[in-house]
Amino acid sequence: MPPVSGWDRSGNLCVAKGSPGGQVIVVRAFQAAILLGILLPGAALAAPLQYLSGAGDKATPVVWLTWGVLAISVIVMVVIAGLLAGAIWHRPGQGWTVGDKAPILADEGGLNWLWIGVCVSALVLLFSIVWTVKVLAQIQAPSARPAVTIEVTGKQWWWQARYLSDDVSQQFTTANEIHIPTGVPVRLKLIGGDVIHSFWVPQLAGKMDAIPGQTNETWIEASAPGTYRGQCTEYCGLQHSKMALLVVAEPDFDFRKWWAHQLAAPAAPEGRALMGQADFQGQCGSCHAVRGTEAEGALGPDLSHLMQRATIASGVLPNDGPTLAHWIADPQSLKPGSQMPAPALSEYQLANVHAYLKTLD
Ligand code: CUA
């Protein structure tokens, strides 16, 4: 296949005329671009972790900016690709000979178009920059005083959430599934518990690093009830990719009810679960806490109301019976490198612990 463009002996830039190879490349490139343009946003919108739609005062301007910049980029790409295709494909009044070259002559005004192109590009870029800076300023701080403050600590490889209150008796700790009330801003105090992590819930915006030894403040807001998936976005070790979280947004009444329930100790276990509680406190209680019991560890997630969570292992496994049983018996097979060791318990004892965990509602 002859080259699509090059320089002739007089130093003129030339493009190949009527080259079938060039035409095929252009047609294929357009087909691929159109296919990608249709498929990618469709697939992205259906993904659990996506930033092409948002809910809330913080996410909405960011989503508009995202689509705006995407649209500008697509228009620029189409215009440039169209001009390139036109140049490759067609030179009016001349024949189509493979490998033949046509010089771009100065009297055709080609250089003027160069200046016009530079000016148009500069204006479009300037517009994008102004829009971006405006959005950044807009989402810097919430318009209203945050209704709730949550201290979120990133740890290898899960998230601890401590709900703060002026009344210390109202404070509690949970993990990986953060409930928030809808329609109001929620302040987040981000801390790195061991290494640097980064908190991101794309549909609510709010991407910010969690760094050891300092507290980074940000805010999120959900305008509609729902479950919004988040993810650690700073490489933090072997299981970085399995450090997810869920933000559950619910109406204020439900949120207050949930908070009150979190403060209460779970119901006392009976029978097999009671035996499991003893094994749990002996084997797991130095790392995990369950309110109102001797299990008061703080190294791992607080499990006081474990059964109210949809997921385990930091949002990556469903919280169903078989998965939970597998997880407590052999966590390393599900999340290699996890800080959770397999407990030194017999199968019978593991079944008891499983029965106990299922009572933590
Ligand atoms: Cu935590 Cu990546």
Side-chain angles (χ1 to χ4, degrees), residues 54-60 180-184 203-204 221-226 228 249:
D57 273 4
K58 190 171 189 184
T60 305
I180 62 169
T182 50
V184 287
Q203 283 185 285
L204 307 178
E221 185 184 325
S223 56
Y228 303 91

Side-chain angles (χ1 to χ4, degrees), residues 155 157 159 196-198 232-237 240-241 243:
K155 301 190 180 193
W157 288 281
W159 301 91
I196 299 175
H197 304 270
S198 190
C232 178
T233 48
E234 176 72 41
Y235 182 71
C236 55
H240 155 69
S241 65
M243 190 170 163

